[in-house]
Amino acid sequence: MFLTFIINSILVSIAVLIHYEALKILSEVIPKLKVEHRLRVLFGFFGALLAHIIEIWLFAFAYYFKIRSGYFGTLIGNSENSLMDCSYYSFTNYTSLGIGDIEPTGDLRFLTGLEALTGLLLIAWTASFMYLEMQKLWTCCRRKECTFQ
């Protein structure tokens, strides 16, 4: 159980760091873009979406390698424990959709809960970030301070 705790803590930390760095880069790049403000919002949206996809695949690879080790449990149900099954499971879990056609056993249950909680918080963080970025752009354009409207 201690090894599970360490691995899961590292995974969550990496996911949070990826997200932090992605949002930091986006917050620096978006204001410098010399395009219409609507396109800046789209750039921010797709940049954040890419960060989420990278984080989901991070968890998918973790499930895959944990299953392959034979030490942490497995996924049962509509799954062959392939990398694609692990990525599908990770996508549904990260988004808290939790379809239920695949269930974890053993210590994978702990990672499942952590991924859902992490996904929920990172999605909320993205929503807050996008709101603030859009608010900056809208305020700038209302004041006619930007040349690209």
Side-chain angles (χ1 to χ4, degrees):
M1 186 66 175
F2 182 71
L3 182 58
T4 297
F5 176 78
I6 295 298
I7 293 170
N8 292 353
S9 297
I10 291 169
L11 286 167
V12 170
S13 297
I14 292 170
V16 170
L17 288 173
I18 289 170
H19 210 73
Y20 174 83
E21 290 301 323
L23 295 183
K24 182 177 181 291
I25 290 168
L26 287 172
S27 69
E28 293 169 353
V29 170
I30 289 172
K32 294 177 184 174
L33 293 175
K34 301 294 184 198
V35 295
E36 188 177 322
H37 74 276
R38 290 171 184 86
L39 294 177
R40 292 181 197 178
V41 172
L42 286 176
F43 182 82
F45 172 81
F46 285 111
L49 183 63
L50 179 62
H52 286 293
I53 291 170
I54 291 168
E55 294 149 15
I56 289 167
W57 274 98
L58 171 73
F59 283 103
F61 280 112
Y63 289 120
Y64 183 75
F65 289 118
K66 281 185 160 193
I67 289 167
R68 291 288 172 247
S69 77
Y71 180 73
F72 299 99
T74 191
L75 298 175
I76 59 172
N78 190 19
S79 173
E80 297 171 2
N81 291 324
S82 68
L83 182 58
M84 289 310 291
D85 288 335
C86 291
S87 68
Y88 163 76
Y89 180 71
S90 185
F91 268 92
T92 60
N93 200 34
Y94 183 94
T95 59
S96 300
L97 184 61
I99 293 174
D101 56 339
I102 300 175
E103 296 178 37
T105 64
D107 288 349
L108 282 183
R109 294 177 296 168
F110 185 37
L111 180 57
T112 296
L114 279 175
E115 182 184 16
L117 181 59
T118 302
L120 176 68
L121 292 172
L122 295 182
I123 290 168
W125 190 2
T126 298
S128 298
F129 170 80
M130 289 305 298
Y131 173 78
L132 292 172
E133 287 300 315
M134 287 186 295
Q135 189 176 37
K136 288 178 200 173
L137 291 171
W138 290 334
T139 302
C140 162
C141 289
R142 273 193 303 249
R143 292 182 188 156
K144 307 291 186 212
E145 292 172 4
C146 59
T147 57
F148 296 94
Q149 297 180 8

